[in-house]
Amino acid sequence: MKFGVAKKIILLFVFSVTILSVSLGYYFVKHHRMAALSDLDERAKILCSSVVSASDYPVIIKDRKMLSKIVKGALKQKDVVFIKIVDSQNNVLYQDGEDAAKNAKFYSSPIVVERSEFDKNEELILGSSERGFEKIGEIYLTFSLEGLRKDLNFKIKTTALITVIAIAVTSLFIFLFVRFFVDKPIKELVVGTKKIGSGDLSYKIRINSTDEIGELAESFNKMAGNLDRVTVSRDALNKEIEERKKTEEQLIKTERIAAVAQIAAETAHEIRNPLGVIKTGLYYMGMITPRENTAMRQSIDRMGDAVVRSSDFIDDLLNISKPMELAVGMLDLNDVVKEAIKELPFDFLSDVEVSKELSKDMPPMVGDSRRLKQVVVNLIKNAVTAMRESSVKKLKLKTETNGEFVVFSVSDTGKGVSKEDIPKIFEPFFTKTEIGHGLGLTICSRFVEAHRGKIEIQSEVGIGTTFTVKLPFESRQMMADTFGVVAM
């Protein structure tokens, strides 16, 4: 259970009031007991003096009848339960009451008389000038403390009742005070801080108070207003920064493509001619090399592969640098996928388990079949390259419709792409493998964007990657109006 500030304040006040009330009650009871005992002692002293004054003569003459009257009169006094009168030899002259009373207090007083004339003359002869008294007996009084105990218990109960009522009334007052003047404003502050913390900077804490809590609420409102203004400014600044960042990225991409275009323009012609000569020379070398010379033939094949890769690289450079021109027409995406697979080398998928899920309800679409075929080929080559070191090599090709789009996806069980590399996967020259030159996916992205489509990637390291191409199946007229010649 949550133990809030208000509950702590109430508990502290109740505890303080309880301690104070108990202390005052204890002091009152103790003071009353001391006063009652003092009063009892005073009454006992007076009664003893009275009985002594009245009993001296009856004790001298041993008049028990007169002593009886004196004792009975004394027993009528409050709290007196026993009286005993003895002579100088401690012989009981008279006693009455309950001598064995419990919870009692005992008093005694000697009965003395002034000495006779003869004794006085004797004292004068002996030279004594002091006044002499003679003890002729003693009186014993017993006062019961039962009445005092009952009175004290009554006082304790009354004090306890008053204390409990005082604690209850004070606690109620404290509860109401804290509830309306402390707890409620604090809860309002808590709600306000949660609202502001969740982003609702327009929320205002409403506390009608001029004390410290009211000042705190006002400070929170001012802070929220300042944060609101700062947030608006910050959002505008972040938006501007984001736009500049996108502009810079686009500029960098454009500069890279321009650099590629320049390289392609300067090197394509110079490289293609030597490559053609080398390719022809390798062909004739293969013709004249005996089949038994396996080492030589393997070397010729490797050199031939290198020439093909170099030629492909030049083609990619030219494709990425040229303005995009689409030869649009009606096509079936399933046919594009099938034709792309046929153009792959005959043993390219020999060690890969290929599954095809081509939708039978694919609508016809308008597009450039040659460009789209290149996209399919590049994605398949990229998938197979990614599975080069995988123990399980599975390739899945799938077509389907999704709203206003026809969708083509290529999934592999390769090593996957890290989250850090996914944003850069379509940038020119970005590659994580020794095979390839980092332009295949860039070309795919440009071809798809030229068709007003989009290409997406989903990947998990160690599991595999899926590239998804979404293309709109627009009308021929719309494609003609949009794409006649599209410059990218």
Side-chain angles (χ1 to χ4, degrees):
M1 183 181 68
K2 188 177 180 180
F3 207 68
V5 175
K7 293 180 180 178
K8 292 178 181 178
I9 293 175
I10 292 173
L11 181 63
L12 177 62
F13 270 98
V14 170
F15 180 75
S16 301
V17 170
T18 302
I19 295 296
L20 180 61
S21 300
V22 171
S23 300
L24 291 175
Y26 174 77
Y27 174 77
F28 173 76
V29 171
K30 183 178 179 181
H31 177 75
H32 179 74
R33 183 176 183 277
M34 292 175 63
L37 289 174
S38 178
D39 179 67
L40 182 66
D41 291 340
E42 186 66 24
R43 289 192 292 116
K45 181 179 178 182
I46 295 173
L47 183 60
C48 286
S49 178
S50 299
V51 173
V52 168
S53 299
S55 302
D56 52 356
Y57 181 71
V59 170
I60 293 173
I61 62 174
K62 298 187 183 329
D63 187 348
R64 286 183 171 79
K65 186 176 181 180
M66 186 175 294
L67 290 176
S68 172
K69 292 180 180 181
I70 295 171
V71 170
K72 291 183 181 299
L75 285 173
K76 293 179 181 180
Q77 300 297 314
K78 182 181 178 181
D79 298 326
V80 180
V81 294
F82 180 76
I83 298 180
K84 180 172 71 173
I85 301 176
V86 298
D87 59 14
S88 57
Q89 282 76 37
N90 208 28
N91 296 318
V92 178
L93 299 178
Y94 191 84
Q95 67 179 16
D96 197 1
E98 299 178 3
D99 187 22
K102 296 180 180 179
N103 197 20
K105 191 171 184 180
F106 305 97
Y107 298 90
S108 65
S109 180
I111 303 174
V112 296
V113 294
E114 194 171 355
R115 291 181 180 180
S116 64
E117 291 296 330
F118 175 80
D119 293 332
K120 292 179 181 178
N121 293 332
E122 184 178 351
E123 289 176 0
L124 290 173
I125 295 171
L126 294 174
S128 174
S129 60
E130 294 182 359
R131 186 178 181 183
F133 292 91
E134 180 182 0
K135 178 180 178 182
I136 61 173
E138 192 161 0
I139 180 171
Y140 295 93
L141 298 178
T142 302
F143 278 76
S144 173
L145 298 179
E146 189 64 27
L148 179 63
R149 185 185 66 80
K150 291 180 179 180
D151 182 60
L152 191 62
N153 287 340
F154 176 76
K155 295 291 184 183
I156 292 175
K157 291 179 180 179
T158 303
T159 303
L161 179 61
I162 293 173
T163 301
V164 171
I165 293 174
I167 292 173
V169 172
T170 306
S171 300
L172 178 61
F173 173 76
I174 294 171
F175 171 78
L176 294 176
F177 178 82
V178 173
R179 173 70 177 81
F180 290 101
F181 295 99
V182 178
D183 187 46
K184 189 176 180 180
I186 288 177
K187 287 183 178 179
E188 181 66 24
L189 280 173
V190 171
V191 172
T193 53
K194 288 182 179 179
K195 288 279 187 180
I196 294 171
S198 63
D200 186 5
L201 300 178
S202 62
Y203 184 83
K204 299 296 181 184
I205 301 174
R206 294 176 176 83
I207 297 178
N208 298 322
S209 175
T210 57
D211 57 10
E212 288 81 358
I213 296 179
E215 292 178 358
L216 181 60
E218 185 178 356
S219 299
F220 263 105
N221 291 334
K222 289 181 179 179
M223 179 189 69
N226 293 333
L227 285 174
D228 194 15
R229 289 189 291 273
V230 171
T231 301
V232 172
S233 302
R234 184 191 63 188
D235 291 343
L237 180 61
N238 289 339
K239 185 177 180 181
E240 183 178 352
I241 292 173
E242 189 66 26
E243 290 176 355
R244 289 188 179 184
K245 185 177 180 181
K246 290 181 180 178
T247 303
E248 290 175 358
E249 291 176 351
Q250 186 64 33
L251 181 60
I252 292 172
K253 184 176 180 181
T254 304
E255 290 176 350
R256 285 182 177 177
I257 293 176
V260 172
Q262 185 177 356
I263 294 171
E266 293 177 357
T267 60
H269 180 73
E270 297 297 331
I271 295 177
R272 279 191 184 277
N273 289 336
L275 287 177
V277 173
I278 294 171
K279 187 174 182 180
T280 302
L282 290 173
Y283 173 75
Y284 283 112
M285 286 179 65
M287 293 291 292
I288 65 175
T289 300
R291 293 184 179 276
E292 293 79 12
N293 194 345
T294 308
M296 179 61 73
R297 284 193 167 275
Q298 288 178 351
S299 298
I300 293 172
D301 290 341
R302 283 196 295 270
M303 287 186 287
D305 291 340
V307 170
V308 171
R309 286 198 303 272
S310 299
S311 180
D312 290 343
F313 178 68
I314 296 300
D315 290 338
D316 288 341
L317 284 176
L318 292 173
N319 285 332
I320 200 172
S321 61
K322 287 181 180 179
M324 192 65 61
E325 297 179 359
L326 300 180
V328 297
M330 298 298 295
L331 58 88
D332 186 330
L333 187 59
N334 286 341
D335 293 338
V336 172
V337 174
K338 294 175 183 177
E339 290 296 325
I341 294 175
K342 291 179 182 179
E343 291 190 6
L344 296 171
F346 74 94
D347 60 345
F348 188 73
L349 300 175
S350 59
D351 61 342
V352 179
E353 181 183 340
V354 181
S355 63
K356 292 181 287 187
E357 296 182 10
L358 305 183
S359 175
K360 297 180 180 181
D361 300 322
M362 293 295 289
M365 61 171 291
V366 180
D368 187 333
S369 61
R370 186 171 62 87
R371 301 293 191 188
L372 294 179
K373 190 187 302 181
Q374 185 67 40
V375 171
V376 176
V377 170
N378 284 1
L379 291 179
I380 293 176
K381 287 183 176 180
N382 185 76
V384 174
T385 301
M387 293 188 293
R388 208 171 57 255
E389 299 177 359
S390 299
S391 58
V392 177
K393 300 179 180 181
K394 292 183 179 181
L395 179 68
K396 180 179 179 182
L397 308 177
K398 182 178 180 181
T399 60
E400 60 182 337
T401 58
N402 184 1
E404 298 179 354
F405 293 90
V406 291
V407 181
F408 167 67
S409 61
V410 178
S411 302
D412 63 64
T413 56
K415 60 183 179 180
V417 182
S418 65
K419 292 181 179 180
E420 295 78 13
D421 291 338
I422 285 178
K424 300 179 287 186
I425 198 71
F426 297 111
E427 293 181 2
F429 305 110
F430 178 81
T431 180
K432 286 286 187 175
T433 64
E434 297 177 357
I435 301 175
H437 38 70
L439 289 174
L441 291 177
T442 305
I443 293 171
C444 289
S445 177
R446 292 199 68 210
F447 286 175
V448 172
E449 290 174 358
H451 284 79
R452 293 292 188 266
K454 51 187 176 181
I455 182 169
E456 300 171 348
I457 177 175
Q458 291 181 335
S459 185
E460 187 173 351
V461 176
I463 302 298
T465 304
T466 298
F467 283 94
T468 303
V469 176
K470 296 181 179 179
L471 301 168
F473 49 89
E474 300 176 282
S475 66
R476 178 184 294 272
Q477 183 62 42
M478 185 179 297
M479 290 296 292
D481 294 342
T482 307
F483 290 129
V485 174
V486 180
M488 297 297 287

